[in-house]
Amino acid sequence: MSYVGPDFDPPQPRRSRRGPLTVAVAALVPGALAGWLVWQAVGDGSGGGSGKAAPASSAPASPSATSAASPSAPSTGDDKSSTSPSPTSSASKPAGPLKGKVVVIDPGHNPGNFQHTAEINRTVDIGTSRKECDTTGTSTNAGYAEAQFTLDVARRVRTILQQQGATVKFTQDGDRSWGPCIDERARIGNEAHADAAVSIHADGSGAGNRGFHVILPGSVNAGGADTRPIVASSRDLGERIAGLFVRETGSAPSNYIGDGTGLVVRKDLGGLNLSTVPKVFIECGNMRDSKDEALLTSSAWRQKAARGISEGIVSFLQG
């Protein structure tokens, strides 16, 4: 997602978080990063790109304007296996290690948002302030929309989790003309009493900015927002997803945000502020960088991304 609009404002200046990480990070992220280094050494021919991160940038991210995809935005040509709509709420498998667990997946944005600017521009209360209901999301320079990407990866995640017995619910599945608003996205997870909720996105930063990052909720207690009960559990969820995303995709943590950890804490995101269940966002890569674009538009890589996200969720749910 681009850092313009609701849940997309530039992160506020903060102190460096270069101190010791939690036990979960020690167990997951370093090991996964070591795996990433091995992957780089031997190469990975199926990722759709070079897989090597650009050198760390000393400059802050260059936010790009949120870009709407047109109705006839070009397809990548390799989406056929996972983009057919299916019910927003799905029953759990009769058996499996995740039987009884509820996961809410939030595919960021909506392909129809650009046709409903009045609706998505109205503001909603996120506790700390008011923000626009939603945005169009970003896109690659060739026109592959973030909303297409998020739905594709989300559906792949759902398939993997359902195979392990989980009940998976979506905030939207291409089954509504726009939205939902960011407050409703949070409410869907809350009302489902989700054991975990994950919002899937891709960034719209400047060329040369590469890699993924996971956004964790900061401690907020303002208005109708109180994240204090979920801060620790959300961090655990986010650290596990970050570590396993590295392992499954071979992608490096962001070189432009998160101090190389792949983890960012924010207090300005309505989808996190209003959540009462463990929840994180993942920015899977930067759609405006040509090397990340090659990954994000690869069906094979999106399957790897889905496995990384799913395995992180499974690790969290199984403790």
Side-chain angles (χ1 to χ4, degrees):
M1 65 184 180
S2 171
Y3 284 109
V4 179
D7 288 2
F8 314 101
D9 292 339
Q12 300 300 313
R14 58 185 180 84
R15 296 177 182 176
S16 172
R17 300 182 61 87
R18 297 179 185 272
L21 295 178
T22 64
V23 173
V25 175
L28 286 169
V29 176
L33 291 176
W36 169 69
L37 293 174
V38 173
W39 176 88
Q40 287 217 355
V42 301
D44 181 87
S46 62
S50 67
K52 295 185 179 180
S57 171
S58 60
S62 301
S64 62
T66 300
S67 175
S70 68
S72 58
S75 168
T76 60
D78 54 11
D79 297 332
K80 296 179 181 178
S81 65
S82 60
T83 56
S84 57
S86 54
T88 302
S89 176
S90 302
S92 64
K93 290 283 185 179
L98 299 185
K99 182 179 180 181
K101 299 295 185 181
V102 177
V103 179
V104 169
I105 301 297
D106 176 29
H109 313 289
N110 184 311
N113 275 358
F114 75 98
Q115 295 178 314
H116 296 271
T117 55
E119 291 89 344
I120 67 172
N121 285 338
R122 70 179 180 84
T123 62
V124 297
D125 187 359
I126 66 165
T128 55
S129 63
R130 294 188 68 85
K131 278 195 168 182
E132 291 85 355
C133 156
D134 203 0
T135 69
T136 59
T138 189
S139 69
T140 67
N141 292 328
Y144 179 49
E146 180 184 0
Q148 292 175 270
F149 170 83
T150 63
L151 273 173
D152 181 85
V153 174
R155 289 167 179 163
R156 295 169 188 265
V157 170
R158 175 172 58 196
T159 297
I160 295 169
L161 294 177
Q162 286 179 333
Q163 288 171 347
Q164 300 196 51
T167 295
V168 182
K169 299 186 177 183
F170 275 22
T171 57
Q172 61 92 14
D173 193 11
D175 51 0
R176 52 190 295 168
S177 58
W178 60 276
C181 295
I182 54 178
D183 57 342
E184 183 183 351
R185 291 174 187 265
R187 187 163 60 249
I188 290 170
N190 298 344
E191 292 178 350
H193 302 289
D195 295 288
V198 177
S199 187
I200 299 174
H201 289 267
D203 207 359
S205 187
N209 292 335
R210 295 202 60 201
F212 77 93
H213 61 278
V214 178
I215 305 175
L216 316 174
S219 182
V220 171
N221 181 25
D226 186 358
T227 62
R228 294 173 297 175
I230 66 163
V231 166
S233 56
S234 295
R235 173 171 281 275
D236 185 19
L237 172 63
E239 287 169 347
R240 291 172 187 266
I241 289 175
L244 288 160
F245 194 84
V246 170
R247 188 186 75 180
E248 294 295 328
T249 66
S251 294
S254 170
N255 65 5
Y256 61 98
I257 188 171
D259 299 327
T261 66
L263 303 173
V264 178
V265 176
R266 290 178 64 176
K267 299 181 180 181
D268 62 323
L269 304 184
L272 297 181
N273 286 4
L274 299 175
S275 182
T276 59
V277 300
K279 184 174 183 179
V280 300
F281 281 40
I282 181 167
E283 299 279 2
C284 296
N286 176 20
M287 301 195 95
R288 295 303 181 91
D289 175 81
S290 60
K291 292 181 179 179
D292 269 9
E293 176 184 1
L295 301 178
L296 297 167
T297 55
S298 161
S299 179
W301 187 89
R302 291 197 299 274
Q303 185 64 25
K304 294 180 182 181
R307 285 202 305 267
I309 295 168
S310 301
E311 289 305 308
I313 294 170
V314 171
S315 174
F316 172 75
L317 294 179
Q318 295 186 327

